[in-house]
Structures are given as C-alpha cells and as structure tokens.
Amino acid sequence: MKIIPRIYIGLLVLLLFLSGCSVSKFIPEGHYLLDNVKVESDNKEIKPSQMNMYLRQTPNAKWFSLVKLPMYIYGAAGKDSTKWINRFLYRMGDAPRIYDPNLAEETRLQIEQAVRNMGYMSGQVSMYTQVKGKKIKVGYQIHSGEPYLISHVAYDIADYQIHDYLMADSARSYLKSGSRLDVNKLDQERDRITQYLQNRGYYRFNKDFITYQVDTMRNSRNVDLIMQLHPYQRKKEDPPSQHRQYYIRNVDFMFDVDFAELTSESLKGVDSLRSGGVNFFYKDKLFLRPQVISDYNYLQSGKLYRNRDVQNTYSALGRLNILKYSNIRFREELEADSAYLDAYVMLTRNKNKSLSFEIEGTNSAGDLGAAASVAYSHRNLFKGSETFTIKLRGAYEAVTGLEGYANSNYLEYGVETSLSFPEFMFPFLSSDFRRRSRATSEVTVKYNWQIRPEFERTVASAAWSYRWGKRGATHRFDVFDLNYIYMPYRSETFREYLDYMDERNPLLRYSYEDLFIVRLGYTYTYTYNSSGATTLKTSQRNSYSIRFNIEESGNLLYLFSRMINGSPKNGEAYQMANISFAQYVKTDFDYAKNFMIDDRNALVFHVGVGVAVPYGNSKSLPFEKLYFSGGANSVRGWSVRSLGPGGYRGDSNSLDYVNHTGDIKLDLNLEYRTHLFWKLNGAAFVDAGNVWTIRNREMQPEGLFKFNRFYKQLAVAYGLGLRFDLDFLIIRFDGGMKAINPMYTGRDRYPIISPDFKRDFAFHFAVGYPF
C-alpha cells in the first residue's frame, strides 16, 4: 500500500510550508523574537526546573517539544485582521513572543530572591543574551555561594501554656540545628504551629503572631534563630493580652434557616428540638433524623475548640446528598478568664427527587449503535440522606461481519436499582465507629437482557458493598456479589460452532452455559496529582496513580456444597440449584505516571498487569472475567478482542472473538501528550502487550504463558491521537499501526518495515484518556 508514504510526505510538506511562513512581519523594528530561555545552576540542590515558576516570559510553545507549529500557523496569517481567514489563523496559532528586557530583568531579580530565600543569602543570578538575526536566546546563571546554616533555635514565648504545648511538640518542628536558613521552611513552621494551636482551643490564633529574629555570628555563616510569639491584640491600639483557649458551649443546627446576625432573637418563631446535647431549629418539619446529625457532628459541647473538628464536620456533612451546602459560623462569648464559642451549623436542603434522561452513541469494535436511558433518584428516602436510584436502559447495535444470520441486530434491555447509605451499615456498630469510618454502603440489584443473533443471555445480579477513602486513596470492599447468567437461546449456527470448538477448545462452551458467580472483592485505588489539574494546558507538576484489585468467587458455595454433597454431581462439578458456579481468584495491578515536561507537554507511562486463576469447581473463567487485548485502552494497533492469546492467529470466522481471551494480561504504554491549540490536544504513543492462557488449549498451544517466550509474543503498536478537551468531557480519536505482530512469522511479523494500511491500521473512538 502506498497510502502511508503519501501521508508522511503530505505531513512533511505541510510542516515545511508552515515553517517557511515568516513571522518577522509581526516583530517590530528593533525588537527580537524570544527563541529560547534557559536556567543554569552551579548547585545541585537548586534545580533549574524549580525556577520555571519565576519566568515572566517564555518562548512560543512547541508541538511534542519539537516544532513551534502554532507560531508558524499564526505567521501564515496576514496583518489585516478584517479578513476572516486571518482571524481564524490568529485563534488557531500562537502569536510570536517578543522579547521584553524589563520582564527579563524582573525574572532575574525574582530568581535571585528565590535563591536567597532558600538560605543562599549571598546568591546572585546573572543574565546573558545571544542574538541571531531577529531571534534572541536568554540565559540565567545561578551562582549560589555558601548557604547560611541554623546554629541554634531559641524560643521567646511569654505565654507559658503555649510554651508548654510547643515544647511537647518540638520533635515535629521544621527548624533543626544544622539546616539551611530557608525562608520557605520558616513559613511552613509558622503554618504548622498555627494549625497545631488552632486544634487546641486557640480559635483566634493566626501565623502573624509568630515572627523570627536572626543573629548572624561574626565571620561565620552560622546564625542563631529566635522564634518570637507575640501576645494577643485584636487591634493595634488594644492592650496586649494572653491568647485565650475557647470551649464549645452550644451547638445549634439550622435546617433551611439563615440569618444575618447570630442572636437568640433571630430564632423566635422557629420550631426547635433538642437531642443528644444538640439543638435543632427548623421550619415546618425536620427533613433529617436527629440521630443522623449526631453521627456526622464532631463539634461537642464542653470540649476545646478544634479546627480539625470543624473540617471533619464539613467533610462528613458533604457526604449527605440531601444537603445542597453547609456553613458553620461561630459567636464568641467572653466571661472573665473563660472564652466560649456558640456554633451555628446552617444546612440547606437539596432537591429530594430528580429525573434524568441520557442518549448516547456506542462503538463496539467498529459496530455502531445507540442507547437511551431514564433514571429516577430520591436523595432522602428514609430521612437519613439515603439515595435510591432506579434506571431503565435500552440499546441497539448493528452487528457487522456475522455470516449465516438473517438478523444481525443486537438489542439490550436493562433495569438497575441501587440504595446508597452515607454510613457504614452493619449491626451493632457504635455511632463513634460510624463517624470515624467515613464509609458509604450500597446495595444494588440489576437485570440485563441481551439479544444477539448468536444467542440470548440474561444476567441478574445483586451486590452489597462498602466504600471509603482518605487523602487520595479509595477502598471498595464487595462483601457479597451474586451474578446469575442464564442462556435461554443459542442459535443453531452458534451451537454448531461450539460443537466444532469442543474438539479444539473444550473450555469455550463453559463460557456460554448457565452459571452462578458469587464473588468477594477488594479494590484499592490511590491517585496523587500534585498539580490538582485535570487538563494538559493547566497541569504543572508530575502525578501518578495506582490501582489494585483482588476478588475471589465460589469458595462459600464450594464449602456449602461439600457439606451437603460429598462429591460433585456426575463426578464433574458442584452445582447450586442444578446450575454450576464459578470458582476463581483474580487480581489486577495498574500504575500510571505522568511526567510534566512543561506546561504544554507531558510524557505518560502506564503498566497494567492482571492474573486470574480458575480452580476447584471451574476449569475456565466466566467469559465476563476473561482478559482481552487490543482496543482503545490497550494495544491500539489492534481492534478490541482481536489480539492473542500469545501468538494465536485465529481465523476469519466472525465468532472467533471469543477465542481471543486469556487468563493473564500485560499492557505497557508510553504516550507523549501535547497541547495543540484551543481545546485540542495531540498524542503520539507506543503500546505493547498481549494476553495468555494458564492452561493449555488444544487449538491454541502458542497462547500458553511461558516465561522463556512471553516477551517474544508482545505485540507492539504506534500511532497518533487527537483529544478534544471540553473540560467536563474528553473525546478521543486514536489511530494505531501494528509494529510487531506476534501472530505471524518472517517478514509479516514486522509490519513496521513494510506497513499495509488495510491490514495494520486500527481506528479508535473513545471518551476519556486511556490511562
């Protein structure tokens, strides 16, 4: 095929044309195009990348860190802004960055100040420029010198109570003898102490009460550091006094009641109720049970004020879907030597009920279809913010590639109900445990009816699970998950195919029989994003995510069956209600790392490993639990369910997708992401992976996992992608080409040498990033 070379040639010609578009017409006389900015340091502890945040001017963005194509697109436009084509190119492109010497000097000063704040008080930053034609390169050289070190830390704290608190917590201090005199560390210590004291009753304390005094030793870079804690003054003209510790006196919850001033007169005419030491004020009727509020309230009357309790209360109330928002306000009362706080918690109700509709397009391995659903939700079913949801869904898909079928349509009908509780629902649990667990409980019941040309299948399921999380980590524990798969119809053609496969792959029929799956599962997910951003255009730092999942099925049914029947029926497999049940263990590990190159370019690495072992009552995994490779989130040079296991090639039969499955999966992905313009991002990727079987299949001996050959069976693909980042939705298009195809030998094994577009190309449409 000559298509691929033509595409490459066309892209090359386009790049050469755009790069030839001069931007000099946009550069005023006597000015220069900022071509490059470089920061250098003579100290390993001062990384140049740390100083990027102080750059007041940066060069034009590069696509894939290689070519400034957005600038050349801008350069292709004329200077007449009244023409629509010029305005269009302005929006698509990136205006040339004109060097500003004032901003360059400001950058130098800010980098120098940052270096000195790190403890290098004699540090200096020099700037140099290199001019070539109408372009200029700017460099900043950091000369740090020797750092100033803290020799001794002393405390000037007249308040004996605070002095005792800080001395008891001194081991956590950021200030250590021998460390650099880092201004950032000094400020972190102020924040730490402020938080520490605010969690011990000091409601009015802030970090402005803490200052430092530095004494420099003669002819030395060692300094004595004195931390000073100033007495309390609300205003400068007020006389200084000791910092007061505040106690919580009254806790009042306001349901749909709000007022400008916190006074008792404002509550006249409002219904009230007292329960568990807390006052409830409401209009008409109370929409939450008092016990629910008690379980989510951390503010206790008679205890010292703690900012941590305030934040925990906010977090706990945020888990109640019936609440639109909450607000906690305090009123102070000073009595002689005592200080009290009255807490007012304002709760605003959300809508109880909602009805939503969804229409979606589907694309399953190139088969197009549509789906529609309607969902009803009630956010306060039993007045405890329990969320009940029922969803009805219908889908249609035109199945292609099936031979011998008059009807090639796929229909799906489903109903799903769920009931979610905002707490750990289990008998005999104390309110204190439920408050600390921060878990949600959910029970779900589903019914799904699938009508394919080959077969009909119904799947009924019921599950009980718990979810909880903290600081980026989330846990899910499936206590009970029952799935019943029933096959009321299999076409004659499909039966003949299964009979034919019985001789080669006898385990295949097992995937299309009536089956019970009773599983117990645990999923751990940890996501760390130091930038807190969700788009390439705004991400500034590295991030990574970890996901671990383990589940088992059938052990309880197996023990129960062994107790009732000493041996399985007909000597084959134990059954429950005359239906076989699955027994297996499955574990998955997924890791993704995002390396930010700059604010527009990132390199993302991903590895995914999965292993599932059928045992006991099962000779094979249920079809829904088998791994497959290829598709939009795997090796993108192959369509979904078309790769593996191992070197298995398969045949042209349209039903052969059921054989491209395995018990072991490995995915390795490397993707370079770049922001192009507007809301459009680009990607270049290399994927590798495959699936393998644990047990030998007669017709797939090359699919069996072996340590001495699995790495030779890794499929490799490469390609390009486009992503439309709509903030709330990411639409993705990927085109992948096969590079190494383990299903072939000889020259055909390496299509990267002689690509065939029709044979080796796969196009994918998906929503969201692949990893």
Side-chain angles (χ1 to χ4, degrees), residues 203-204 232 234 244 246 249 262 329-335 339-344:
Y203 171 70
R204 282 290 179 182
Y232 178 74
R234 193 162 189 171
R244 289 176 178 263
Y246 286 78
R249 186 171 61 178
L262 302 176
R329 298 160 66 182
F330 292 97
R331 185 179 67 178
E332 299 178 50
E333 284 289 340
L334 302 179
E335 298 179 1
Y340 300 99
L341 291 174
D342 292 331
Y344 296 86

Side-chain angles (χ1 to χ4, degrees), residues 381-382 386-389 417-421 441-444 464:
L381 191 63
F382 305 120
E386 304 88 356
T387 302
F388 171 77
T389 303
T417 62
S418 66
L419 181 60
S420 177
F421 301 89
S441 311
E442 184 178 46
V443 57
T444 58
W464 179 268

Side-chain angles (χ1 to χ4, degrees), residues 631-702:
N633 300 323
S634 184
V635 187
R636 283 166 279 186
W638 279 258
S639 58
V640 66
R641 297 184 186 273
S642 64
L643 173 60
Y648 173 70
R649 184 184 302 183
D651 53 43
S652 58
N653 193 304
S654 59
L655 298 175
D656 193 54
Y657 70 90
V658 299
N659 292 317
H660 291 287
T661 54
D663 310 306
I664 300 174
K665 181 178 181 178
L666 175 63
D667 273 332
L668 300 169
N669 311 89
L670 186 65
E671 185 169 284
Y672 194 109
R673 298 173 181 171
T674 188
H675 176 68
L676 302 179
F677 52 84
W678 187 50
K679 295 183 179 295
L680 190 64
N681 298 323
F685 57 83
V686 177
D687 301 328
N690 208 329
V691 294
W692 295 267
T693 60
I694 288 180
R695 294 191 174 96
N696 189 23
R697 299 177 183 175
E698 184 176 342
M699 68 172 293
Q700 299 174 326
E702 64 274 30

Side-chain angles (χ1 to χ4, degrees), residues 453-488:
E454 312 98 310
F455 55 81
E456 289 184 23
R457 174 163 53 188
T458 62
V459 180
S461 63
W464 179 268
S465 62
Y466 297 104
R467 288 187 180 92
W468 67 97
K470 187 177 182 181
R471 295 179 181 175
T474 59
H475 308 262
R476 177 188 172 102
F477 179 46
D478 296 306
V479 180
F480 175 79
D481 187 355
L482 170 65
N483 291 267
Y484 170 50
I485 302 172
Y486 175 54
M487 304 283 296

Side-chain angles (χ1 to χ4, degrees), residues 163-291:
H163 179 274
D164 291 344
Y165 275 136
L166 297 188
M167 293 303 100
D169 192 55
S170 59
R172 298 176 182 270
S173 175
Y174 291 109
L175 308 180
K176 305 291 184 183
S177 298
S179 62
R180 277 188 285 112
L181 184 63
D182 192 329
V183 173
N184 302 308
K185 290 292 184 183
L186 298 182
D187 201 49
Q188 287 181 14
E189 179 67 3
R190 294 170 72 204
D191 290 332
R192 187 193 69 83
I193 292 176
T194 299
Q195 185 179 19
Y196 180 78
L197 294 178
Q198 285 182 350
N199 285 321
R200 280 153 183 81
Y202 292 93
Y203 171 70
R204 282 290 179 182
F205 193 88
N206 62 70
K207 69 178 186 179
D208 291 335
F209 291 111
I210 301 174
T211 59
Y212 296 99
Q213 181 179 335
V214 178
D215 290 337
T216 306
M217 300 180 184
R218 182 178 297 181
N219 299 325
S220 172
R221 293 183 180 272
N222 294 327
V223 300
D224 286 337
L225 183 67
I226 302 174
M227 175 189 288
Q228 296 175 321
L229 192 142
H230 301 280
Y232 178 74
Q233 283 180 290
R234 193 162 189 171
K235 298 178 182 179
K236 290 184 178 180
E237 58 270 18
D238 293 343
S241 62
Q242 282 195 332
H243 294 272
R244 289 176 178 263
Q245 284 183 290
Y246 286 78
Y247 287 83
I248 301 294
R249 186 171 61 178
N250 298 317
V251 181
D252 299 333
F253 279 81
M254 314 293 179
F255 292 81
D256 286 330
V257 177
D258 199 358
F259 45 85
E261 295 185 8
L262 302 176
T263 61
S264 56
E265 288 75 13
S266 303
L267 297 176
K268 290 182 178 180
V270 179
D271 294 329
S272 63
L273 172 70
R274 184 170 179 84
S275 175
V278 176
N279 300 315
F280 300 90
F281 295 90
Y282 57 95
K283 294 180 180 179
D284 299 330
K285 59 181 180 179
L286 207 60
F287 63 83
L288 277 173
R289 301 192 308 272
Q291 184 60 42

Side-chain angles (χ1 to χ4, degrees), residues 3 232 428 439 505 559 561 569 626 706:
I3 297 178
Y232 178 74
F428 314 115
N505 186 6
L559 293 174
S561 299
K569 186 177 181 180
L626 288 166
K706 292 185 178 181

Side-chain angles (χ1 to χ4, degrees), residues 19 146 201 226 228 317 319 327 454 542 560 591 632 660 691 712 717:
S19 62
E146 295 297 322
I226 302 174
Q228 296 175 321
L317 294 175
R319 288 158 44 206
N327 183 29
E454 312 98 310
N542 300 335
F560 183 72
Y591 174 81
H660 291 287
V691 294
K712 301 176 183 178

